[in-house]
Amino acid sequence: MNQPVIAVENLRVSFGGTTAVDGVSFTLHAGRALALVGESGSGKSVTARSLLGLSGGRAAADALEICGQDARDLSDGQWRQIRGTRISMILQDALMALDPLRPVGREIGDALKAHGSAPASARRAQVIDALAAVRVPEPERRARQRSTELSGGMRQRALIAQALIGDPQVVIADEATTALDSQLTALVLSQLRDIKEQGRAVLMISHDLAQVAQLADDIAVMRQGKIVEFGPAIEVLGSPQHEYTKTLLQAVPSGVPRFSSLSPGSAVPQCPARPNTTSAALRVNSLSKSFGGHPAVQDVSFELPRGKTLGIVGESGSGKTTTARMVLGIERPDSGTVELLGQGFVPQRESARRELRRQMGAIYQNPLGSFDPRYSVSQLLTDALSQGRTKRSSQYRDEVARLLEQVELDPALGGRNPVELSGGQRQRLAIARALAAKPAVLILDEPVSALDVSVQATVLDLLDRIQLETGTSYLFISHDLSVIEHMSDAVAVMYQGRIVEQGPTEQIFGDPQQDYTKQLLSAMPRLR
Amino acid sequence: MSRTAKILSLAFIAFWLLTALAPSLIAPGDPLAINPAQAFQKPGLGHLFGTDESGRDVYTRVVHGARDSLFIGIAATALGMGLAIVLGTAAALSPRWLDEAILRVLEALYAVPSLLMALLIIAFTGPGVGPAIVAVGLSTAPGYARLVRSQIRTLRRSEMLEAATVLGRGPWAKVRNHLVPNALKPLLALVTLGIGQAVIWAAALSFLGLGTPPPAPEWGAMLSAGRTYLHLAWWMSLFPGLAIVVVAAGATLIGRALGGKVKAL
Amino acid sequence: MAYLGWAARKIGGALVVLWLVATAIFIGIRMIPGDPAEAIMGGPGSQASAEALAAARAEFGLDRPIGVQYLMYLGKLAQLDFGTSYSLKRPVTEVMGEVLPNTLWLALVSLAAAWLLALLFAAASMRASRLGSWLGSMFEIIAAAVPHFWLGSVLIMLFSSALGWLPAVDNGTAAGLLLPVLTLALPLAGFLTQLMRDSLAAAMGSQFALAARARGESRLMVFWRHGLRHASLPALNLTGWAFASLLSGAVVVEAIFARPGLGRSLLSAVLARDIPMVTGIALFSALVYILVMAVAEGIEKFIDPAGAGA
Amino acid sequence: MQKNQRAARVLSSALALGLVSAVLAGCSGTDTPSTADATAAPSAGGTLVYASGDAEPSCLDPHVGGNYPQALVSSQYLEPLFTKDAEGKIIPWLAESTEVSQDGLTRTIKLREGISFTDGTKLTSEAVKANIEHLQDPKTASSTGYLAVGKVKKIELPDELTAKLTLSAPDNALLESLSMPWTSIESPKALKRDQAANCAAPVGTGPFKVESWEHQKQVNLVRNEDYVAPVPEAGRSQQTAYLDGITWRFIPEAATRYAALQSGEVDVIDNAQPDTISSAAKDNALGHLDAPRPGASNRIELNSAKAPFDNAKVREAFIRSLDVNAGISSLYFDTAKRSYSLLSSVEPLGISDEALFTTDVAKANALLDEAGWTERDAAGYRAKDGKRLSVTFPVSTNQSVPAEQSLFQQFQASAKAVGFEVKIELLDLSSWYGALAKHEYNLVSAPYTKVGPSVLRILYHSDSTVPAPSGYFANNAQVKNDQLDKLLTEAEQTSDEAQRADLYAQAQKIVLEGYYVLPLYDQQNHFLYGKKVQGMGATTTVSSPTYYDVFLAK
């Protein structure tokens, strides 16, 4: 085999006294893609940044070769020679990774500026070529715009163009697909595949094995700063050796039947006795809403049977969230009605439906914003249990403990402020709060989108268990097809404010009728 | 706010409160007692901070001056904040046209710089403590009011209140449990920042001879008297100046510890 | 087109603000106890002659109903007729024409100096050790807490009297400007540093800064291209406030350093109860404030058209 | 209405030039009091920078209004008809000679020949008429000059150089009045311009002329190349001024002014503060000119028209309760000499009586007991019938220097010891006049500068208790005494010098012994100047320095 473009042996990075990367070794060859997989804090990003000399901590290695050059004792000036030209990086969020105050063309051109004295006109031409190469339409115009003025897809392309303009041999994609909807994920993955096919090496960082499976030739699974499993993708995915790898694989929801556990040790009752009722918990009749003349939601109707889950899936901007907000009675629809348990809920007066509100709870993508920042965990729950009458917990101590137990949170967390909790714990707290009033319906708007796959698995298992125990109906909104597939009894596909197709999950995923649904499904990364 | 910061802040506030309310505990002398024979004494054992042109003890005067200086600062800030809460809340909750109208009024208040506003008011009323308080209060009000307004508007649209609606809370419960306490918290931080600045502006007015009249030991008035003798008796202006700096800087530190940003001034 | 609409809104808003200030002053004059004609002529101490009072009554229509008086007053202002300063015996607009450039120049130079100092401090604190950055933040807090009037006296004492390095009073040279500018700029720089440091730190620790470093840019380049822009936004946002505080400070600084200007004119006009002068200065400073705000907003819009960084 | 509105003043030193004030305007020959090396030969050239602590005048023509800052600057470009010699005797200046008729009602003034204004107009008797009419014209709004020529009823011009003034009553102070800068002679042609133009650049006969006025900053004066000294000096290398010009700056802050002098940015400062005078004395590089103003001394007047000072015992008790000397010596660093007179020490006709003003707290308490102020209230103040012994003391911040305000605060503290509550109110000039006009005062300090003892009539004649239409009255003590009125009127009309002195002495005795007034010190007028400045010392009759003889050492 030819010379590797990256060879790392026994890389160690520490911050202060804590070791973030502890003896990592791997090699990467031209034209190949290596995936570093692990959950947040496993040291994968630090490892990747060490390859650019930007770990931010103290890095040491027995060997650190980049394109044949020993990079262990490079000065900052020497590192700058390497960055952008031999090795470059695509960061997670294009909105954050491109300076919102500068035109993207300038951002892309900066890489050239840093490395040579090409005249401004030549640089501009090169920038436009680079944008065109990643298939940005109207590259001249886009180059003059700022990242905030671009659409999501355009922004991602600009970000990739920025990484490629220096013609590097190695491209690091650091969580480049995380939190993107399926269309954008597909776009980025295909771009990365192009990069690989151009003969460059790709180092992909992700917490999601399903996405990695689309691209990686080799996979390194990281945990607590160490590589626990390393090998060709087929082997790692097909016959994982390490327990942790197995856990990660199990956590991927796509193709896993309903109520099958995604996480080890979680106890979803095996063969549940589910109520087979036809009565609707929630009935939505032709909701419409437009903002400033632009229709956001048009004529949306669906029914959520008691004890069941209806999944709503669609790209960002398809009207999912507006629909959810109208159902919750926060956004007033232009027309249409919502019935909750057979009673009119929208467009009733707020005072009229206040009693009924106890029957409907809501979970958001980022629960922190929905907590009063002054309240501790137990105060939040007490407030919910007492219907807002008190936040002093003495009288409700037992019920608070019961709720915490129900969502598998340590009762010792009761005195903490939600800011101190992890993302998964916060989401459990939000669920506990919503459950306090024993609602019939939960509206879940992207409840797991901000979570690592492994944490997502535990939260999804929790939701399953609660539904089985309490018979609560879920309106489950997500852009993630695999989560929807795993969680829903029935699915509604939204596109441009309309429901283009709805039906039982097996039917939608097995035999889609509409072109849009088919297109959506084709972009879905699958493991199984 | 960390524990140490809390303790230090409380100690700082307690110290100045004690100084303002019971100055005689710290400086038992009479701040107005003159002794021409002892004029212009250098700081030393007999007179910690030296003496002024009439032989009054500068230390005693600085300590006793805390009451006037802090009172003006606090009263002006209270006035500004009170006005700001009324105007800011009204603007935030009003229909657009009224909101616009209130914003213009705030801008008009803002457009006349604070010291100019003070002088303007004094041009109509004549000098004195009252006009100084009104002037400083009025000129700080628009800054606070804008913060109150944006704070309430942000909170009104916040997920927190949405969540409360979804949980079935009534309007009164939302206002009482969430809106008011959360809107007030950053104000508290800002108030501490503001008191420091108000003390400085009030001192500036006294310095120009338009605030507290002598011989009352107000810091700005002491500085004003001291600057005449800067060449001869630096201590006459150093110590009241330091007192202002310490109070203003301390207030800023506490304000920052409470999460206040200078931004909103 | 967007800019035209923006400009039209700005001008409309500015007129409303000026009208409000003018109205407040009108009410203020009427609230002074006693004869408003006497108030206009400078209060009881002016000892204006009966003829002068009669002339003032006629000029301001004081014998007419209050509504008419108000309209006459606004009408005059609309024609930029601020009347004659009774204490200087010269038209207010003429006096303003003389003193305004001085104050504006002083304020603008001080603003620039404060910005420069703040940027330097903020940038230095990026690289400073823990102790260094603690010292830096103490310095900025203390700088912001120092009263202008004290600082000015101390600077004169130190650099003119004791050391003899710098002139105490304006002599037309750059050196003569140094002490007053320092007096105004240091406290403001303290404020601005506090503002800039946070956003500079946020920008320098951001994803786009990392991306820039990953492209091969040096720290300094990242600071220039990204840090600076982001750091200046909140400070730019506060330009109106900063400028207003500079005008306030000018009242004191102009008195201490014997510089002709708006602040000194106002102080003497107030002491002389020179109402036409006071009215003129208030309206002029409001106008200046509005203009400065508009320019700052324009720059902000240029740096950040989408309002992304604010 | 003019009393002398000085914006700020200072204290005086016992140093160097105590005597200089007697030197006459421009008419020197007298040696200039000197800094260490005053022997350098005069050399021409250079611009002197003068820094004034006074408020900038709104008009450079001292006919308009007429206050001390105007006198200071206008003495450089305007000259009066008369001045004083070293003995304090009135001598002609622009006038060549003068005589008065037997009945004292006709005053003939003959002018010197060959003097021209800087606009080329010749000095003729027409100018005297034009100037006096200018002063008397209500549109000019003259206050000081207006009073000075108040008795001139008619002016006839028998020839080109002679003016005959007809008076409404004999006025032996007329020549003194015409020696003051406020009655200086300006070009009649220039006076015909509108007031704004005349205010911006008055045209006179002085050694300098106004070149330009940068408002709020400085007045630029340049040498009058065609200057003709009315009384030529022997031994001068040139008859014009030595200086190319004077930059007349306004620097209100005392500390800044002194710093600028120390660093050499300015050459002369006025309103020098006591502490800086005292430290300048130790600094060989700086010279000091102490020029007390003529007219009234600086004193506190007790309003006898209002309780509690309508009772002479209470007035005496107040005065006896104060330790004035200790305060003056510490606050003024011995630059101001205690006065026990109604008149300035430069007025030869002033009398002093130290015994009336010695501190005697026991006597003060006894007097108050006698006057019935026997109760003491909770705050320790005396009271009568439940009313506190409280007096109001409005102080004009424009007219009182910091040291004086401190002195008043000390009075406040020592008066408290015998049971007086003194309420000091610091007011801007306008409010201060307002308070006086409304009789809202028990104590007041109102300096008055005028040449000669006739100032006594202005200050203590009962006519002066009657307010002018503007509300102003000069008799702040509200002295109403028929005998005194008679003495003052007679003193002004007699042509016998000895009788005049005797009448004024009797009048002063009545005021002093009535405890209407607490004299403090002369009206302080101190100047500090840098080492380069040579030949300082000559002043006008109102003690404002002139710079005809001054030159800058190379």
Side-chain angles (χ1 to χ4, degrees), chain D residues 11-21 32-35 258 272-292 332-337 524-529 537:
Chain D
L11 19 107
S12 108
S13 90
L15 309 179
L17 318 178
L19 293 175
V20 179
S21 49
T32 53
S34 44
T35 48
Y258 185 61
Q273 300 292 316
D275 60 315
T276 56
I277 297 168
S278 122
S279 62
K282 295 167 207 139
D283 185 346
N284 286 331
L286 298 179
H288 171 218
L289 172 63
D290 178 7
Y332 285 84
F333 298 83
D334 301 316
T335 59
K337 194 170 166 294
Q524 302 295 300
N525 201 28
H526 295 264
F527 301 82
L528 290 174
Y529 51 91

Side-chain angles (χ1 to χ4, degrees), chain D residues 62-310:
Chain D
H63 290 187
V64 177
N67 59 21
Y68 203 78
Q70 285 176 309
L72 277 172
V73 64
S74 69
S75 305
Q76 315 315 323
Y77 48 82
L78 302 182
E79 293 176 304
L81 289 170
F82 298 91
T83 189
K84 274 185 175 177
D85 67 8
E87 282 74 49
K89 206 172 126 251
I90 293 287
I91 55 164
W93 186 249
L94 287 180
E96 185 171 51
S97 63
T98 180
E99 56 190 40
V100 68
S101 64
Q102 203 65 50
D103 60 3
L105 290 174
T106 309
R107 167 68 70 177
T108 310
I109 296 169
K110 206 163 160 28
L111 297 175
R112 290 182 205 275
E113 217 179 332
I115 292 178
S116 295
F117 295 99
T118 50
D119 64 355
T121 314
K122 277 197 148 40
L123 173 71
T124 62
S125 53
E126 183 58 44
V128 176
K129 184 169 154 67
N131 273 274
I132 293 179
E133 283 172 353
H134 184 239
L135 287 167
Q136 291 182 332
D137 184 351
K139 284 206 203 85
T140 306
S142 170
S143 46
T144 315
Y146 177 82
L147 283 180
V149 299
K151 286 183 182 158
V152 178
K153 222 167 51 176
K154 202 169 88 189
I155 306 160
E156 289 162 289
L157 306 177
D159 65 49
E160 228 194 8
L161 291 174
T162 311
K164 211 166 94 185
L165 278 49
T166 309
L167 307 179
S168 56
D171 182 3
N172 61 24
L174 183 63
L175 297 189
E176 285 164 344
S177 297
L178 291 176
S179 74
M180 303 192 298
W182 301 296
T183 56
S184 292
I185 302 300
E186 298 176 42
S187 159
K189 190 174 131 199
L191 285 178
K192 289 199 186 95
R193 300 175 294 174
D194 67 22
Q195 193 175 71
N198 203 54
C199 278
V203 176
T205 58
F208 297 93
K209 56 185 180 181
V210 178
E211 184 190 48
S212 60
W213 182 8
E214 297 169 48
H215 288 280
Q216 281 201 1
K217 196 173 171 200
Q218 62 197 39
V219 179
N220 298 308
L221 304 174
V222 293
R223 178 166 50 218
N224 173 7
E225 300 293 353
D226 303 317
Y227 181 66
V228 175
V231 181
E233 260 173 64
R236 276 182 77 105
S237 56
Q238 57 186 70
Q239 281 307 306
T240 54
Y242 297 122
L243 296 169
D244 291 342
I246 303 175
T247 303
W248 197 276
R249 301 204 53 169
F250 301 97
I251 303 183
E253 275 287 308
T256 311
R257 208 159 55 238
Y258 185 61
L261 178 70
Q262 283 183 310
S263 65
E265 292 162 70
V266 304
D267 301 307
V268 181
I269 63 171
D270 61 21
N271 290 290
Q273 300 292 316
D275 60 315
T276 56
I277 297 168
S278 122
S279 62
K282 295 167 207 139
D283 185 346
N284 286 331
L286 298 179
H288 171 218
L289 172 63
D290 178 7
R293 298 184 196 178
S297 61
N298 225 354
R299 71 246 177 272
I300 295 178
E301 290 160 292
L302 291 76
N303 182 355
S304 63
K306 218 176 148 184
F309 287 146
D310 51 353

